[in-house]
Amino acid sequence: QVQLVESGGGLVQAGGSLRLSCLASQLTLNSRAMGWFRQAPGKEREFVAGSKWSGDGTYYADSVKGRFTISRDNAKNTVYLQMNSLKPDDTAVYYCAAPRSRYYIGSYSRQSEYDYWGQGTQVTVSS
C-alpha cells in the first residue's frame, strides 16, 4: 500500500523557517514528479510547489516564490519543502502528492495530476 507521510510541521513565529518532509513507502520517488499543496481553514486546497520527475525543474506559486524551496533526496525516498520568511498567511495543512506514473510531465500545479496524497502536516505561523 502506497503511503506518503509528511512531517516537520509546527508552530513558528512570522519570519521563521520550517522544513517539511514527505517520506514515501511502497512508491519510488526517483524519476517521479512531486508536489506540495496546502489548505488553509475555510479555503480550498492550493498548489504550493512542484518538482519535475528529473528534479531539474521546480515550480512555485507566486505567493511562495523566493521563500520556499522544493527538493528531494532519492536515496532517502523523501521530498522536502524548505519554508523561509514565513508569514501568517502561510498557516495551513500542507500535503505532499505524487502521480501514479513515473516520468510524468505536466503543469505540476493541478491536483488532478496527482494520485497519491499524504495525510498532511499542520503549519501555524503566528504574527
Side-chain angles (χ1 to χ4, degrees):
Q1 180 180 352
V2 172
Q3 278 194 314
L4 299 177
V5 180
E6 302 95 337
S7 61
L11 173 64
V12 63
Q13 289 188 332
S17 298
L18 285 174
R19 188 178 78 158
L20 306 184
S21 299
C22 173
L23 174 64
S25 60
Q26 302 301 315
L27 185 73
T28 300
L29 298 189
N30 188 14
S31 301
R32 195 179 304 273
M34 292 296 296
W36 284 96
F37 291 76
R38 67 186 181 186
Q39 186 167 21
K43 295 186 178 181
E44 295 187 352
R45 190 158 54 183
E46 63 177 4
F47 169 74
V48 175
S51 172
K52 187 178 177 181
W53 66 263
S54 56
D56 62 353
T58 55
Y59 311 89
Y60 299 93
D62 288 342
S63 59
V64 307
K65 202 170 293 183
R67 300 188 297 122
F68 290 12
T69 303
I70 185 172
S71 63
R72 63 175 70 209
D73 186 335
N74 289 331
K76 295 183 178 180
N77 215 33
T78 299
V79 173
Y80 303 98
L81 184 68
Q82 178 67 43
M83 307 186 296
N84 299 329
S85 302
L86 283 161
K87 305 174 182 180
D89 284 349
D90 295 319
T91 295
V93 177
Y94 283 72
Y95 301 88
C96 66
R100 180 176 292 110
S101 301
R102 298 174 77 180
Y103 311 109
Y104 173 82
I105 296 176
S107 75
Y108 310 107
S109 62
R110 297 190 303 266
Q111 296 182 54
S112 59
E113 297 180 278
Y114 298 91
D115 302 288
Y116 304 114
W117 292 82
Q119 83 291 346
T121 185
Q122 176 71 47
V123 172
T124 303
V125 184
S126 63
S127 56

